[in-house]
């Protein structure tokens, strides 16, 4: 394409091929997880437990810094 005209079929075809090459691995990963819903739930549960622990530690640090730790357990 020398003049970048809107109807340039060759450029659009080339772009479509490149986009497909980029998107193909993403589709493969999606299909992997779609076919394994139990694994997805396990991963979500693990991530939730991990993030709750980190959040709890962070809140405790903030309370200590702000001197809001009235009740120590």
């Amino acid at each position: 394409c020398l003049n970048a005209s809107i109807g340039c079929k060759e450029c659009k075809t080339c772009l479509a091929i490149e986009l497909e090459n980029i998107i193909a691995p993403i589709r493969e990963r999606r299909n992997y997880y779609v076919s394994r819903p139990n694994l997805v739930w396990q991963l979500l549960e693990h991530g939730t437990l991990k993030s709750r622990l980190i959040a709890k530690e962070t809140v405790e640090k903030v309370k200590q810094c702000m001197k809001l730790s009235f009740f120590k357990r």
Side-chain angles (χ1 to χ4, degrees):
C1 180
L2 299 175
N3 58 5
S5 62
I6 296 292
C8 181
K9 183 179 177 184
E10 292 81 18
C11 289
K12 291 177 183 177
T13 301
C14 183
L15 177 62
I17 292 169
E18 289 301 316
L19 287 174
E20 180 58 34
N21 290 336
I22 293 169
I23 294 172
I26 298 168
R27 284 188 179 138
E28 289 174 14
R29 285 194 305 271
R30 180 188 180 279
N31 290 335
Y32 174 84
Y33 288 109
V34 164
S35 65
R36 294 166 178 82
N38 289 335
L39 174 61
V40 173
W41 284 112
Q42 289 174 356
L43 292 170
L44 288 171
E45 183 178 10
H46 175 73
T48 299
L49 295 174
K50 187 175 176 182
S51 63
R52 282 183 185 162
L53 178 62
I54 293 169
K56 184 176 180 179
E57 292 171 358
T58 302
V59 168
E60 285 304 315
K61 287 179 185 177
V62 169
K63 284 182 178 181
Q64 288 176 3
C65 289
M66 297 179 71
K67 299 184 186 333
L68 297 175
S69 300
F70 300 116
F71 306 104
K72 299 221 179 204
R73 295 181 187 177

